Amino acid sequence: MGKGQQAIHEHMEQAPLILDMETISILINNLINQDQHQLRLELERRKTMLRLNVEEHRLVEKFYELKQRQTEINSAKIIWKAINEQQNIIHEIAIFKKWLEVHAQESSYTLNGIQLPNIYHIFITLSFEGQTSSVKHITEQTIAKAEEIVEHYSKIAKSEQNKLQSTKSHHKNPDLLEQIIHTILQRENNLEQRRAYELQGKITNIFNYKRNTQMDS
């Protein structure tokens, strides 16, 4: 073999190693960029959460500074409690759907390490009621039942809002009542936004943790 051919042969033997190193370098850079992107998203989420928390306190203070009647305070509490409970179920549904997506190829459905009390209760109840049903059918029913609960809390909030509006015709100060209702709805909207960003953080934390745990094991 001539010197030229020998050099080519040696280069070809080294090529896979060079290629592997380049590939590894690209993968590392991609992972770093991905982590930085996730970090930026998380920082933005936390900044938004902080802003919404400040707004939450401001709206509560603004509401209690108004000269409202006890019945209006009670209505506000019913509305806010209903929206908060509604959001709790929405969170569980979203996390459950994400969990099903991640575990779609698995034959069993065990919610290890995830706290979904309402979903779990519905799932177990349906499992006992329909023992011949497939797991897939029960999960679909579970989501449908949970969505009914979301709608139930929405109706409670809406009903209480309508009740407040109905008192406007005989209220001593209709303009004040309108301001009270507006503040209640402002806080409701802020609460929904805040919980939506909170859900983003929950999903990221739960499924990134599980992914990293699986990689470690």
Side-chain angles (χ1 to χ4, degrees):
M1 182 182 296
K3 288 184 179 179
Q5 288 180 321
Q6 185 177 353
I8 291 171
H9 180 70
E10 289 173 356
H11 177 75
M12 291 299 291
E13 286 182 337
Q14 293 175 2
L17 179 61
I18 294 169
L19 181 63
D20 286 345
M21 291 304 294
E22 287 177 353
T23 303
I24 289 169
S25 178
I26 290 168
L27 287 171
I28 290 171
N29 286 331
N30 287 343
L31 286 171
I32 291 170
N33 290 333
Q34 183 180 359
D35 285 345
Q36 288 177 340
H37 176 66
Q38 290 297 328
L39 179 61
R40 282 195 295 270
L41 288 177
E42 178 61 15
L43 287 173
E44 285 301 316
R45 188 190 69 81
R46 291 192 182 191
K47 280 169 60 179
T48 303
M49 281 288 293
L50 180 61
R51 177 179 62 78
L52 292 170
N53 283 337
V54 171
E55 181 67 3
E56 173 79 0
H57 289 294
R58 187 189 73 80
L59 288 170
V60 171
E61 288 178 359
K62 179 182 175 182
F63 174 76
Y64 283 106
E65 283 171 2
L66 299 171
K67 307 241 181 241
Q68 66 275 94
R69 298 178 296 188
Q70 186 60 46
T71 54
E72 291 155 359
I73 293 173
N74 292 341
S75 288
K77 288 180 177 179
I78 289 169
I79 291 168
W80 293 335
K81 186 176 188 299
I83 295 301
N84 193 56
E85 292 297 333
Q86 176 209 60
Q87 290 299 310
N88 287 339
I89 305 295
I90 288 173
H91 283 211
E92 288 197 30
I93 293 170
I95 293 168
F96 186 50
K97 284 182 176 179
K98 179 67 176 176
W99 187 91
L100 290 171
E101 178 189 321
V102 170
H103 295 78
Q105 303 304 317
E106 297 184 9
S107 58
S108 62
Y109 290 83
T110 53
L111 298 170
N112 292 333
I114 301 180
Q115 298 299 316
L116 303 176
N118 292 286
I119 291 287
Y120 185 77
H121 175 73
I122 296 169
F123 187 89
I124 293 299
T125 302
L126 290 171
S127 297
F128 280 112
E129 287 178 355
Q131 295 180 4
T132 58
S133 298
S134 68
V135 174
K136 183 181 178 184
H137 181 61
I138 293 172
T139 58
E140 290 170 352
Q141 285 185 307
T142 298
I143 292 168
K145 288 281 186 185
E147 287 172 346
E148 287 176 11
I149 297 173
V150 171
E151 184 61 25
H152 168 71
Y153 283 119
S154 296
K155 286 179 180 177
I156 289 174
K158 189 64 179 174
S159 174
E160 204 62 33
Q161 289 167 17
N162 291 338
K163 192 168 90 173
L164 276 175
Q165 287 285 1
S166 69
T167 64
K168 192 172 181 180
S169 60
H170 56 270
H171 198 280
K172 291 181 180 178
N173 190 339
D175 289 337
L176 174 61
L177 177 61
E178 195 60 43
Q179 191 177 355
I180 290 167
I181 293 170
H182 180 66
T183 306
I184 290 171
L185 296 180
Q186 274 186 308
R187 194 201 171 192
E188 178 184 331
N189 182 59
N190 190 75
L191 175 61
E192 289 174 341
Q193 289 184 57
R194 187 166 58 86
R195 295 300 304 274
Y197 278 97
E198 181 186 312
L199 175 59
Q200 287 180 11
K202 282 182 183 178
I203 289 176
T204 299
N205 290 336
I206 290 169
F207 293 98
N208 276 1
Y209 171 78
K210 285 191 168 296
R211 185 189 64 187
N212 293 336
T213 303
Q214 288 167 356
M215 287 174 67
D216 291 342
S217 60

